[in-house]
Each structure stands twice: as structure tokens, then as C-alpha cells.
Amino acid sequence: MFIFRLLLKNAFRHKLRTVLTMVGLVVAICAFGLLRTIIDAWYAGVDGTSSVRLITRNSISLTFPLPLNYAERLRNVEGVTGVSWSNWFGGIYITERNFFPQFAVEPASYLALYPEYILKEEEKKAFILDRQGAIVGRKLANQYGWKIGDQIPIRGTIFPGTWTFTLRGIWDGVDAKTDESQLLFHWQLLAESNRKRLKRSADYVGVYVVRINEPDNAPIVSERIDALFKNSLGETLTETEKAFQLGFVSMSEAILVAVNAVSFVIIIIIMAVMANTMTMTARERLAEYATLKALGFSPSFVVKLLFGESLVIALIGGGTGLLLTLPIAAAFAKSVGTLFPVFRVSDTTMALQLFAAVIVGVVAAAWPAWKMSRIDIVNGLRHVA
């Protein structure tokens, strides 16, 4: 306890310098945590995937649909235990700023493949029975203040017109990784509209979602599916749901690398600032350290004092920055809406923040501690601070 009080007193001997250094640490650790959380949010769709779900799409591009009659053939593939499908809708709610994913799905089979969507049975039944019905995630409902029975007008972009859906259910995610920022409605409604508008068959889907019996069978089942439709007018590409999501993430890989680099550059900069603070502190106390050595204290004691003081400053500043990251991240998530479906500061990020603070404290004290451990007592006593 005496040593801790001594370290605390030494740390705040030059109050203004210490406070400014701590403020820098708070900003750096906070920024580091926020940037790491943004990277985690970018990969949230990947983390929330299932190992027993495959995505089958047109091998040319996602923009090319697949025939609806593929569904029955997919069900007969060995290893497949469930099949559903979806279409990206891409509509606008009131204004372009209100972006969130909308999918036309086959309700019963689609919800059966996504057990992580926790929906009340009566709400699920109401959705399945109402052709104009829709369901949304809890995060999306909270953002716009939607309640069961509300009318939700969506202006189509890919599919023209104003589409009005009746909210029949709100699902909760089974855990924090589950996406709660989507709107799902009936694929049949979209197909009927396309038949009237295009005056031809509209029995096409964007992608098929396929459930398999065992995660280890993903490669062989994927090969079986793609072989089944080889040389057809709509050849397929089947991959795990995780690989499918990673394909979207890879499009912005350069941005993620840049954000990741900036997060570590921030730590290096504050490390240099902290090292400067500790060097100035050691230089000012040269006579004190020489006196301690003259009184018989070992060089290691002087080293411990400097490292201890540096760690006290780093941990107070870093701990404050870590705590402030939580409300700042919550405010940021609220401001960006559904841009990041899952935005939360993970335990790993908080551990990295604390680790970064400790590293800053240790590295900043290394050089002055080494110098002070080697000072000559006579020259040190002659020093005038």
C-alpha cells in the first residue's frame, strides 16, 4: 500500500503534464476500441452464420436469378435436409438515409432454416397466413418505433411501385451476433407482382438457402449441387454461408486493412507521447534517484519506481478510455442505424484495450528506467533539476 501511494504521489507531482498525458491516453484507447469494434461489426455477418447452411446462387453473378423449379431437385440431393429461397428487394423506407436489408422469402421454409430468429408462434402464424404481412428484427423495430399491426410503406427501386406491408411479427436474436435489422416479406407477393408487370413467368429466385445434415459434409454436398446443374442454362455456385458472407466483406478488404492499421498507429503515437513524459520525469528527478542509490537502494528499486509510475498513469488513462468506449460505441451505433446490424464492444476488444494500455506503460518507461539505473551517484547529486 505504501508503494502504491508513493507511485500515485509521484505520478501526480506534475499535475498538468500527467493530466494531459492521461487525456491523450483516454482518447487513444477509446479510438482504438471504437475502430476495432467497427472492424468486428464488418465481420458480424460472418460470425453470425451457421455451419449447416449453404447458399446456392447463379455461378455467373448474384444479379442473375435461378429457376424456382430447382428447389425440388435440391431437396433430393443426398445430405440436404431443408431448402428455401430469397430475393433481395432493395427498397427505400421514406428516405434514402433509412437503409436496411429487405428480402422476399418463402415464410415457412425460410424461418425453419433460421432458428436463431426467435419469433412468437402466433406472430409466425399471422405472418405465414397474411400475403401482405412482414416481420422485422427487434433492432429495426426499435429504431423506427414500429409495433405489431403497423403499415410499413417501402418504395421499390429494383421492383417499381410503393409496397405496403403489415407488420405481423418482431423477432429477437438468439444471441448478440444475430442480425435484427432485416425485413422479411412473402416471395409469392413479389412473384405475383412481377407476373402482372412483366407479362411472363416470374418463377425465379435470387439465392437458395440449403440446410445440410452435417457441417463436415458441406464440401461434398456443394459439389453434388453444382454437378446437378452443370451445363444447364442456370449453372450454380454453392458455398457455405460463411464463405458467402466473406465474399461481401472481401469487397471492402482495403478499407478494413486501413482501419486496422490506423488503430495501431494511434497506439504507437500515444506510446511516443507517454515515453516523452516519462523521460522528462526521470530527467527532473535525477538527483532524487542518485540519492536513493547513495542511501543503499538498488538500481532495480529505481527501475521499479519508474515502471510503476508509468503503469499507474497508463492504467488510469487506459481504464478510463475503456469505460468511455462503451457509451461512445452505443451512441455511434444509434447514429449509424442499421448500417452495422451488430455493433457491440466485444470482450476481446476490451482485453486488447487493456493490453495496449499496459504495453504503452511498459515501453514508455523502458528507456528512462534503463538510464536511471546506470546513473553515477556523484554526477547525479550534482544535478540541479
Side-chain angles (χ1 to χ4, degrees), residues 146-352:
W146 292 337
K147 304 180 298 298
I148 302 298
D150 283 356
Q151 299 292 304
I152 304 173
I154 304 291
R155 176 162 52 89
T157 53
I158 303 172
F159 307 97
T162 298
W163 303 64
T164 302
F165 304 106
T166 303
L167 185 59
R168 294 303 182 188
I170 300 173
W171 78 75
D172 293 289
V174 70
D175 55 35
K177 295 179 180 179
T178 305
D179 188 357
E180 297 179 353
S181 62
Q182 300 181 35
L183 179 145
L184 306 178
F185 67 96
H186 284 249
W187 175 86
Q188 194 62 43
L189 178 69
L190 180 65
E192 289 176 358
S193 174
N194 286 339
R195 287 192 195 100
K196 294 176 183 178
R197 182 171 60 89
L198 301 175
K199 305 299 183 183
R200 58 182 174 81
S201 174
D203 291 337
Y204 288 89
V205 304
V207 299
Y208 283 99
V209 184
V210 179
R211 184 178 60 205
I212 57 177
N213 53 2
E214 292 290 340
D216 293 340
N217 290 339
I220 190 170
V221 174
S222 298
E223 289 179 6
R224 288 170 183 165
I225 292 173
D226 294 339
L228 182 64
F229 302 107
K230 191 174 180 61
N231 298 323
S232 67
L233 292 177
E235 292 191 0
T236 61
L237 173 64
T238 304
E239 55 195 343
T240 62
E241 189 178 36
K242 184 174 184 178
F244 181 73
Q245 293 291 345
L246 280 172
F248 291 101
V249 173
S250 65
M251 297 178 187
S252 52
E253 187 175 1
I255 297 175
L256 294 180
V257 170
V259 172
N260 196 30
V262 169
S263 69
F264 286 103
V265 168
I266 290 171
I267 297 301
I268 293 172
I269 291 172
I270 196 59
M271 191 181 294
V273 173
M274 183 77 173
N276 182 63
T277 297
M278 294 310 300
T279 301
M280 292 171 65
T281 296
R283 190 181 300 117
E284 291 171 356
R285 299 177 193 168
L286 185 59
E288 295 179 24
Y289 296 142
T291 302
L292 287 173
K293 292 183 72 175
L295 291 173
F297 287 94
S298 65
S300 63
F301 182 77
V302 174
V303 170
K304 290 175 183 176
L305 283 180
L306 275 165
F307 272 111
E309 183 178 339
S310 181
L311 284 171
V312 165
I313 295 173
L315 289 175
I316 292 176
T320 304
L322 190 155
L323 293 176
L324 285 177
T325 302
L326 300 175
I328 290 175
F332 181 81
K334 187 175 181 180
S335 67
V336 299
T338 55
L339 179 61
F340 295 113
V342 178
F343 194 88
R344 54 184 284 273
V345 184
S346 67
D347 294 340
T348 302
T349 295
M350 289 189 284
L352 283 173

Side-chain angles (χ1 to χ4, degrees), residues 23-45:
V23 169
L25 274 163
V26 169
V27 173
I29 295 298
C30 213
F32 176 77
L34 192 60
L35 290 173
R36 298 299 307 175
T37 302
I38 289 174
I39 294 173
D40 290 343
W42 227 300
Y43 282 95

Side-chain angles (χ1 to χ4, degrees), residues 77-128:
V77 174
E78 184 182 353
V80 172
T81 60
V83 176
S84 191
W85 56 88
S86 69
N87 270 81
W88 171 261
F89 186 69
I92 296 171
Y93 176 65
I94 302 177
T95 174
E96 284 78 0
R97 289 174 56 88
N98 299 333
F99 170 81
F100 56 86
Q102 306 122 28
F103 293 97
V105 303
E106 199 293 306
S109 61
Y110 192 85
L111 292 176
L113 297 185
Y114 287 84
E116 61 264 40
Y117 295 170
I118 309 300
L119 189 66
K120 295 179 180 177
E121 281 301 321
E122 58 269 25
E123 293 179 2
K124 183 187 296 185
K125 185 176 180 180
F127 171 50
I128 292 173

Side-chain angles (χ1 to χ4, degrees), residues 361-384:
V362 170
V363 173
W367 172 254
W370 182 77
K371 290 289 288 184
M372 291 304 104
S373 68
R374 296 169 61 86
I375 59 171
D376 181 79
I377 294 176
V378 176
N379 292 331
L381 292 174
R382 289 174 179 171
H383 178 78
V384 179

